[in-house]
Amino acid sequence: MTTLALTQSLIEKASVTPEDEGCQPLMMERLTAAGFDCTPLRFGDVDNFWAVYAGADTNYAANNKGPIMCFAGHTDVVPTGPVENWQSHPFKPEIRDGILYGRGAADMKASLAAMIVAAENFAKANPTPKGRVAFLITSDEEGPAINGTVKVLAWLADEKIKMDYCLVGEPSSTNTLGDVIKNGRRGSLGCKLTVKGIQGHIAYPHLAKNPIHLATPALTELAAEVWDQGNDSFPATTFQISNINGGTGVTNVIPGTVEIIFNFRFSTELTSTLLKERSEAILDKHGFDYDIEWNLSGEPFLTAEGSLVEATVKAIKIHTGLNTELSTAGGTSDGRFIAPYGVQVVELGPINATIHKIDECVAVDALEPLTAIYQEILVELCS
């Protein structure tokens, strides 16, 4: 089965997070036939699996302790929204003018299919590889990300299995396949701040305490704060308020509380601990009563150099002719969980312009080059 055909088969499975809907069994069936040892790992309501290939010869494979190059990815997709708004059914893949449409086409079933075909080709050509090829696949990347990659990594640690390299198949490209790879990501720190006042009649403000008025100067100071200047790999840290909720919905009641939700996207110049300390110092300075709940999605990580970056850059050059750009822009990925284990991490996948959108799509003519790039990376690191 070609990469295109496998991508279509995966898109047909309506794997809205956290459901897998048979994607992983299909992938494991293919990998098992190629000589991989596959281990299904279900945590809570989430399907995951780990697979590894160390060689076609059983005795050789048992003794192969070479470096592990892992493909990581997710089979779950975001909801489609109203199906009638799509030009074609989101789970009935359709090709129009050389473009393959369907939910998950770019994020990230094309990458998964390319990984599988690349691994099959590599295993067939390398019965005694110097390194091991692995897969870490979850159906909990688009959701809470609690019972997916995090749990598999803990299981691997218990089994004393350590990856050396990890390529995450997130759609990294901007204008053409391979023009951008992600060699790091900013950290993400969220916060729910509840400022407490005293509810009262709006005509008698001296008998009440307006929490919105109390919070506004502090929020203004937080928004104006220069948190850092960034560095050569990361832009400056940003602070953004996403929600403010307070009041009873009428015009004549001073609210008793106001809830503010904000988020930091931060560079390696800071840690989540420093951001919390500096934020709370600003809040404390303004002297109001508040409760605060912090939620760390991930610390920033960076693979500035190393064998994986070199192999990826080389593979892209060979198969596209491009000199790729290293970038840390964008949101978070499961790479934030993998990198802290001392693993070199990069993200490489198709163009990301339509991910999470209606009529998500991927160019058909990008699928075979993506497969070739993945296979070249395996050759560089494991053959």
Side-chain angles (χ1 to χ4, degrees):
M1 190 183 294
T2 64
T3 302
L4 171 60
L6 182 53
T7 304
Q8 291 171 311
S9 294
L10 292 171
I11 292 172
E12 286 173 350
K13 302 180 187 306
S15 54
V16 176
T17 191
E19 301 303 323
D20 174 70
E21 292 297 317
C23 293
Q24 293 181 28
L26 173 59
M27 295 173 68
M28 285 189 282
E29 180 183 357
R30 295 280 294 261
L31 290 171
T32 299
F36 281 74
D37 181 16
C38 298
T39 305
L41 296 165
R42 185 171 176 86
F43 300 110
D45 60 349
V46 174
D47 289 308
N48 312 277
F49 76 83
W50 170 258
V52 64
Y53 172 79
D57 180 85
T58 304
N59 292 330
Y60 178 86
N63 296 315
N64 183 1
K65 305 301 181 185
I68 295 178
M69 161 59 203
C70 178
F71 287 120
H74 60 91
T75 55
D76 58 322
V77 299
V78 296
T80 65
V83 172
E84 59 270 20
N85 290 343
W86 288 64
Q87 293 185 59
S88 54
H89 195 286
F91 296 117
K92 295 179 181 178
E94 182 174 302
I95 298 173
R96 301 191 297 273
D97 299 322
I99 304 296
L100 173 62
Y101 291 85
R103 173 58 85 221
D107 188 15
M108 55 178 290
K109 292 183 174 180
S111 294
L112 295 177
M115 290 170 175
I116 294 290
V117 175
E120 290 172 333
N121 293 342
F122 177 84
K124 185 175 182 180
N126 294 273
T128 56
K130 71 176 184 182
R132 293 165 286 172
V133 181
F135 281 76
L136 191 170
I137 305 297
T138 182
S139 62
D140 186 34
E141 196 274 346
E142 299 289 9
I146 294 171
N147 289 316
T149 298
V150 172
K151 293 286 181 67
V152 178
L153 289 166
W155 177 84
L156 290 172
D158 289 342
E159 296 292 317
K160 295 181 170 51
I161 300 170
K162 182 183 181 300
M163 292 179 275
D164 297 274
Y165 316 111
C166 184
L167 190 151
V168 184
E170 291 292 347
S172 63
S173 304
T174 301
N175 297 309
T176 186
L177 176 67
D179 61 350
V180 176
I181 62 174
K182 302 295 176 64
N183 66 323
R185 291 280 191 164
R186 294 175 295 173
S188 178
L189 177 64
C191 180
K192 182 171 78 171
L193 171 68
T194 303
V195 178
K196 302 174 183 180
I198 299 174
Q199 183 174 307
H201 196 294
I202 207 159
Y204 302 96
H206 59 288
L207 300 178
K209 186 183 293 185
N210 193 320
I212 298 174
H213 293 184
L214 296 174
T216 299
L219 297 178
T220 300
E221 186 170 346
L222 287 167
E225 179 77 2
V226 177
W227 301 96
D228 62 30
Q229 299 294 334
N231 53 39
D232 289 343
S233 298
F234 289 90
T237 294
T238 62
F239 166 89
Q240 289 292 315
I241 298 169
S242 57
N243 286 273
I244 299 179
N245 296 295
T248 63
V250 297
T251 63
N252 60 351
V253 178
I254 294 171
T257 61
V258 61
E259 181 182 280
I260 302 105
I261 297 176
F262 59 82
N263 179 269
F264 289 99
R265 293 301 166 102
F266 61 105
S267 76
T268 49
E269 296 295 304
L270 291 170
T271 65
S272 58
T273 299
L274 284 172
L275 281 173
K276 293 175 186 177
E277 290 175 352
R278 289 175 59 181
S279 298
E280 291 179 20
I282 290 172
L283 295 173
D284 291 342
K285 185 172 66 175
H286 289 268
F288 50 74
D289 189 15
Y290 67 89
D291 290 330
I292 195 163
E293 297 178 27
W294 293 101
N295 177 37
L296 177 65
S297 296
E299 298 280 358
F301 70 90
L302 179 68
T303 301
E305 56 188 13
S307 300
L308 179 57
V309 169
E310 293 171 5
T312 305
V313 170
K314 180 179 179 180
I316 291 170
K317 181 69 172 179
I318 289 172
H319 293 284
T320 69
L322 295 174
N323 295 312
T324 192
E325 173 191 348
L326 302 181
S327 171
T328 61
T332 59
S333 77
D334 276 2
R336 70 191 188 274
F337 304 129
I338 299 167
Y341 283 82
V343 183
Q344 295 181 35
V345 178
V346 301
E347 300 173 24
L348 169 61
I351 293 173
N352 55 27
T354 64
I355 60 174
H356 293 202
K357 292 184 178 181
I358 292 171
D359 293 330
E360 180 181 350
C361 61
V362 65
V364 172
D365 64 7
L367 299 179
E368 293 307 322
L370 181 60
T371 306
I373 291 169
Y374 286 164
Q375 186 174 342
E376 190 73 38
I377 293 169
L378 295 180
V379 170
E380 285 291 319
L381 297 175
C382 297
S383 65

